[in-house]
Amino acid sequence: MPENELVEGLGLDEYQYGFIDDEAHVFRTRPGLSEEVVRQISKHKEEPEWMLEFRLKALKIYESKPMPTWGGDLSDLEATLDEIYFYVKPQDQMERSWDDVPSNIKNTFERLGIPEAEQKLLAGVGAQYESEMVYHSLKEEWASKGVIFDSIEDGLKNHPEIFREHFATVIPAADNKFAALNSAVWSGGSFVYVPKGVELETPLQAYFRVNQERMGQFERTMIIMEEGSQAHYIEGCTAPVYSTDSFHSGVIEIILKKDSRFRYTTIQNWSNNMYNLVTQRAVVNENATMEWLDGNLGSKLTMKYPSCYLVGEGAHGDIMSIAYASDGQHQDTGGKVVHVAPNTTSSITSKSISKGNGRSSYRGLCKVYEGANNARSNVECDALLINATARTDTYPYIEIEEKQATVGHEATVSRIGDTQLFYLMSRGLTKEEAMALIVRGFIEPIAKELPLEYAVELNRLIELEMEGSVG
Amino acid sequence: MSDTSILTITGLRAKVADEDLDILMGVDLEIRPGQIHTIMGPNGSGKSTLAKVLAGHPDYEVTGGDVVFNGQSILDLEPNERALAGMFLAFQYPTEIPGVSIANFLRTALQARLEDGEEVDLFDFQEELLDRMKLLDMDPAFAERPVNDGFSGGEKKRNEILQMAVLRPTLALMDETDSGLDIDALQIVANGVNTLREENPDMTVLLITHYQRMLNYIKPDAVHVMVGGRIVRSGGPEVAIALEEQGYADWKEQDKDEGQEEEQQQQVVTA
């Protein structure tokens, strides 16, 4: 069978979770963005004056910054932004018990496997539905240790001092155009605070999905790890299929104090009409370790570069990412490591898969400031092309001001070859099964870092997507 | 069953796909169940191509003749369908599949043999795999390594034998499995094949080799000499011994004459 016919049935573009619930929102702003919209959001959230001022200032910054011209193609985005709803509130109250969650929303969660997952492994769930947290639970023992795992809104309401002290310190509104936009209209997201010395063995998980056509999702997550604390936070996203463009622009700020350790795992599987522009950054203090594990599937365009600012001596940052670009998709992803202090170490491992006319770009920065002596960094990026029309690019930026630093960069590009396929088929595998196995092997070094149920889910997703439509 | 053939090749012609390069010029061969046949021949004689064509390699295009395996013509079957029908090709140059363990690969291959909805039982599989490795005197840790990734030549060939042991084919095509092996590795591979044959005397083997030395360890029922894309002589083990002494020189002369003929024919075609 011709290869182009085969690969039609291969990618992750045929979205599996494309189902839509009947909407039940109690309030939403008018489409498009204005000062009025920003004021309404703040009013509905009953925010303190300083937050309204922050939002309005951010709106001005957003309006003053030009649309980025590097990375992916954003030329259609401005028209899209005029049509989306910047705020949708699905219901009035935070839900604490599963029984109280409305049945259509519960139905969505059940189809995504949330309650089951919770029973097995997850100790706390903050699930974001549209722009608000509707379901939230936290194990008693954690609460007794002083761990806070809340919606970002409740973080602001209930812990105003900690909140204000850290908010927008890692990613200020002026950082980039989309960070400014998020700062103006943010809604939903998680607030996590782990006190000094507390180690969480089971992961915190937020599973959310966007569920309204033309609705922008501007979640804002803030995580504060006190000295010597340890935690793992998992966020998975899946969005239903729509015909018009949709937009997601999150901001994730993480602060790791001395000797703390934190891992942030994301698997995002957006519908293929989504612009996904996320700023996520961690400030890593003395001897602390930050790990980003980032999987990007779906979307029309993803621009996302998890970052570690290694500001304390001996700080360590790890960035591992998987990107899958199918027909009509561009994954512009990678990572940034900034070495500010001596004896800091970092590694970036990036794996991308491109299919059809899909394009994946690795874009990474390794910066070593003067004085960060003995800094060591290693970057490895591997691209797998499923067929000849797929595209991959590598944009590694390396800026070193310090003489005593070691920076390594290695990039490979490979293609699934007829010889590999024939070998596997001669053992009884169909062509799709053979391709799925090769892809799974390719991402294995990162997939093995995922919690078991996520690794299984990822493998299952790849297998499912390779079934069917082969004549 | 033993008086009918398991594999019948008649007038098989094949060329390199996308090129006007004929390789098989009309191969005839018949193998009965449980027999071991050897095909020997000089470099470029087409013996390796024959193995690949039988397994359905996409680099080659069949231009004539037929191959009947187990009573069924297989030329229209995909490589995986031929495998499910009971054929196994031990590769001359096995391919690397990074990140996929041998165990995982074999489990997937066994899964492919089940009906939709059925699943390989993980515990049964693990037990079976350990059992097969024990039979071949292999370290169980071997199955956890990624398929052929960073393997030595000998390890790659052992991996082929392990796959053969787990997948239990009715017909094993061994494509120059002995090439590039030192004498120890050669013995390990030959012992593996002999062990599997002892266990299942009905397993048929078509052994393609450049050297007679493999036949010191695996005793064939028939030896065929292939030159210029045809089988030019068939007989018992004595044929291999004669070849060892005289080489392929006599046959090569004949091959050259035919080659010139072919060239003239091709010129006519292109004109």
Side-chain angles (χ1 to χ4, degrees):
Chain A
M1 112 202 21
E3 194 185 355
N4 57 353
E5 221 173 86
L6 174 79
V7 293
E8 287 300 305
L10 182 62
L12 299 173
D13 51 345
E14 286 161 39
Y15 195 76
Q16 294 291 325
Y17 294 132
F19 48 82
I20 301 164
D21 288 325
D22 290 334
E23 282 305 324
H25 49 79
V26 294
F27 170 76
R28 73 180 178 198
T29 55
R30 293 207 330 229
L33 184 59
S34 64
E35 188 181 317
E36 188 51 35
V37 166
V38 172
R39 286 183 181 279
Q40 279 186 356
I41 293 170
S42 190
K43 191 181 167 200
H44 262 269
K45 291 180 181 294
E46 297 167 0
E47 287 176 350
E49 189 63 23
W50 73 266
M51 185 56 77
L52 174 63
E53 282 164 19
F54 173 84
R55 287 179 183 274
L56 291 172
K57 204 172 144 195
L59 178 65
K60 291 222 158 55
I61 296 169
Y62 167 72
E63 286 166 345
S64 72
K65 278 187 183 284
M67 203 56 103
T69 50
W70 53 274
D73 179 8
L74 296 170
S75 53
D76 290 340
L77 185 58
E78 250 159 319
T80 301
L81 290 176
D82 288 340
E83 289 180 5
I84 64 173
Y85 297 97
F86 279 82
Y87 179 63
V88 179
K89 189 174 186 181
Q91 56 177 50
D92 273 336
Q93 296 167 327
M94 278 288 294
E95 297 293 335
R96 287 238 163 245
S97 143
W98 183 246
D99 291 338
D100 296 336
V101 176
S103 60
N104 68 324
I105 291 176
K106 200 190 274 184
N107 187 29
T108 300
F109 284 132
E110 275 170 6
R111 291 163 84 171
L112 293 172
I114 298 296
E116 194 186 2
E118 186 192 36
Q119 284 162 23
K120 285 180 187 161
L121 183 80
L122 307 170
V125 170
Q128 179 175 357
Y129 187 84
E130 296 176 358
S131 308
E132 293 284 345
M133 309 290 272
V134 292
Y135 173 56
H136 209 143
S137 70
L138 181 63
K139 272 200 167 171
E140 299 276 322
E141 57 190 275
W142 288 1
S144 71
K145 284 178 182 170
V147 173
I148 302 164
F149 179 27
D150 241 330
S151 72
I152 189 91
E153 285 80 3
D154 276 1
L156 173 57
K157 274 201 190 90
N158 303 332
H159 311 280
E161 295 82 18
I162 307 174
F163 192 100
R164 196 170 180 179
E165 185 190 339
H166 297 93
F167 185 79
T169 57
V170 180
I171 303 171
D175 189 81
N176 65 72
K177 187 170 179 74
F178 297 105
L181 177 60
N182 177 285
S183 297
V185 298
W186 67 264
S187 186
S190 295
F191 178 77
V192 175
Y193 177 84
V194 183
K196 188 172 174 179
V198 172
E199 297 180 12
L200 299 182
E201 280 166 19
T202 44
L204 296 157
Q205 161 152 328
Y207 203 124
F208 66 91
R209 47 186 277 130
V210 179
N211 196 35
Q212 171 140 357
E213 188 169 11
R214 294 185 303 172
M215 195 203 69
Q217 174 109 8
F218 301 93
E219 109 272 13
R220 179 124 195 161
T221 285
M222 184 158 67
I223 292 161
I224 300 148
M225 300 295 294
E226 288 289 357
E227 265 187 46
S229 64
Q230 289 190 21
H232 182 187
Y233 179 89
I234 304 174
E235 175 207 276
C237 300
T238 175
V241 175
Y242 290 109
S243 57
T244 54
D245 286 328
S246 216
F247 185 71
H248 172 254
S249 183
V251 164
I252 295 149
E253 300 182 279
I254 302 176
I255 296 152
L256 289 94
K257 300 196 178 164
K258 189 181 165 192
D259 297 326
S260 65
R261 187 177 184 99
F262 187 70
R263 173 178 281 197
Y264 190 100
T265 297
T266 330
I267 298 292
Q268 291 189 321
N269 185 19
W270 298 108
S271 59
N272 56 17
N273 56 354
M274 182 74 84
Y275 286 95
N276 182 32
L277 312 173
V278 180
T279 308
Q280 48 189 57
R281 186 177 301 161
V283 169
V284 191
N285 285 283
E286 197 180 334
N287 289 321
T289 294
M290 173 66 205
E291 297 168 321
W292 293 103
L293 211 167
D294 201 44
N296 296 294
L297 311 170
S299 85
K300 177 179 185 175
L301 169 66
T302 289
M303 290 171 68
K304 192 167 168 212
Y305 323 96
S307 310
C308 293
Y309 281 61
L310 307 171
V311 300
E313 182 160 2
H316 177 74
D318 259 335
I319 301 166
M320 296 166 274
S321 67
I322 298 171
Y324 189 110
S326 191
D327 274 330
Q329 298 178 347
H330 184 186
Q331 302 284 0
D332 198 276
T333 60
K336 289 192 223 171
V337 287
V338 179
H339 293 255
V340 182
N343 299 313
T344 45
T345 51
S346 66
S347 76
I348 300 178
T349 312
S350 164
K351 298 250 181 195
S352 72
I353 299 146
S354 313
K355 186 216 114 177
N357 62 15
R359 176 182 174 191
S360 55
S361 312
Y362 169 80
R363 193 179 299 278
L365 170 71
C366 174
K367 173 144 188 158
V368 181
Y369 279 96
E370 192 177 349
N373 53 306
N374 292 324
R376 278 179 290 128
S377 178
N378 192 53
V379 177
E380 194 187 322
C381 48
D382 302 318
L384 181 68
L385 301 174
I386 303 286
N387 50 13
T389 51
R391 175 175 170 186
T392 181
D393 325 84
T394 306
Y395 305 97
Y397 300 91
I398 297 172
E399 298 168 16
I400 301 170
E401 296 172 357
E402 169 59 45
K403 283 196 184 105
Q404 283 184 293
T406 314
V407 174
H409 175 88
E410 196 182 320
T412 67
V413 179
S414 51
R415 194 184 300 271
I416 293 187
D418 285 346
T419 317
Q420 262 182 326
L421 288 176
F422 176 63
Y423 186 66
L424 297 178
M425 289 177 77
S426 78
R427 302 308 187 237
L429 277 64
T430 62
K431 208 161 193 174
E432 306 95 300
E433 287 166 346
M435 283 188 167
L437 195 67
I438 292 167
V439 170
R440 270 161 49 188
F442 176 74
I443 62 171
E444 194 271 347
I446 293 175
K448 75 176 181 200
E449 295 289 330
L450 288 170
L452 184 62
E453 60 180 20
Y454 275 76
V456 168
E457 175 71 14
L458 189 63
N459 280 343
R460 203 176 62 87
L461 194 63
I462 287 169
E463 272 164 28
L464 274 177
E465 299 290 351
M466 294 197 189
E467 280 174 6
S469 69
V470 176
Chain B
M1 189 71 189
S2 62
D3 53 348
T4 56
S5 71
I6 181 126
L7 183 72
T8 308
I9 303 171
T10 41
L12 185 64
R13 301 179 74 89
K15 69 178 195 75
V16 176
D18 312 323
E19 273 181 59
D20 282 332
L21 182 60
D22 294 311
I23 300 188
L24 301 183
M25 306 290 189
V27 175
D28 295 291
L29 185 67
E30 185 168 352
I31 307 181
R32 288 168 192 282
Q35 286 190 327
I36 298 180
H37 283 226
T38 295
I39 295 181
M40 302 183 71
N43 287 328
S45 61
K47 58 188 191 299
S48 231
T49 298
L50 176 63
K52 288 178 191 146
V53 167
L54 291 176
H57 198 294
D59 283 357
Y60 302 95
E61 186 185 323
V62 172
T63 52
D66 199 7
V67 176
V68 174
F69 174 55
N70 256 339
Q72 181 192 14
S73 175
I74 59 165
L75 290 179
D76 289 336
L77 298 183
E78 292 287 333
N80 54 307
E81 294 169 323
R82 301 182 195 202
L84 299 189
M87 200 181 263
F88 180 91
L89 173 63
F91 280 57
Q92 183 177 5
Y93 302 111
T95 313
E96 296 177 5
I97 315 288
V100 177
S101 70
I102 292 173
N104 191 353
F105 172 37
L106 282 171
R107 189 164 51 81
T108 310
L110 286 175
Q111 182 67 48
R113 283 159 173 76
L114 299 181
E115 300 288 325
D116 277 353
E118 287 181 45
E119 287 241 13
V120 171
D121 182 281
L122 275 182
F123 295 102
D124 290 351
F125 168 71
Q126 201 58 33
E127 206 171 299
E128 160 84 355
L129 181 61
L130 286 174
D131 184 56
R132 304 311 276 166
M133 296 189 85
K134 200 176 163 193
L135 181 75
L136 298 171
D137 200 19
M138 286 183 180
D139 180 356
F142 185 67
E144 296 311 315
R145 293 177 60 187
V147 179
N148 298 322
D149 192 11
F151 282 21
S152 69
E155 285 171 332
K156 285 183 180 177
K157 301 298 166 74
R158 296 187 70 172
N159 184 19
E160 297 294 288
I161 301 298
L162 174 61
Q163 292 173 42
M164 194 192 293
V166 171
L167 300 177
R168 301 173 191 262
T170 48
L171 172 65
L173 308 167
M174 305 192 63
D175 183 12
E176 306 208 26
T177 307
D178 53 337
S179 64
L181 293 189
D182 62 30
I183 206 74
D184 292 341
L186 186 73
Q187 274 184 327
I188 289 165
V189 167
N191 288 344
V193 174
N194 288 331
T195 306
L196 295 178
R197 286 255 314 154
E198 273 167 35
E199 183 190 52
N200 175 20
D202 283 341
M203 187 173 87
T204 309
V205 178
L206 180 59
L207 183 71
I208 285 158
T209 182
H210 190 73
Y211 304 104
Q212 197 268 340
R213 61 175 191 169
M214 185 69 159
L215 306 183
N216 294 332
Y217 304 99
I218 297 177
K219 298 296 178 196
D221 298 296
V223 175
H224 310 276
V225 179
M226 193 165 184
V227 175
R230 278 196 193 95
I231 288 174
V232 295
R233 191 177 164 191
S234 296
E238 75 283 354
V239 173
I241 293 162
L243 272 180
E244 186 78 347
E245 286 164 2
Q246 298 155 16
Y248 294 106
D250 293 349
W251 306 108
K252 276 184 175 167
E253 281 307 307
Q254 194 183 333
D255 184 29
K256 205 192 264 175
D257 295 342
E258 284 179 10
Q260 281 168 358
E261 243 172 71
E262 293 272 326
E263 218 169 90
Q264 284 163 358
Q265 279 178 357
Q266 280 194 0
Q267 279 169 356
V268 172
V269 172
T270 44

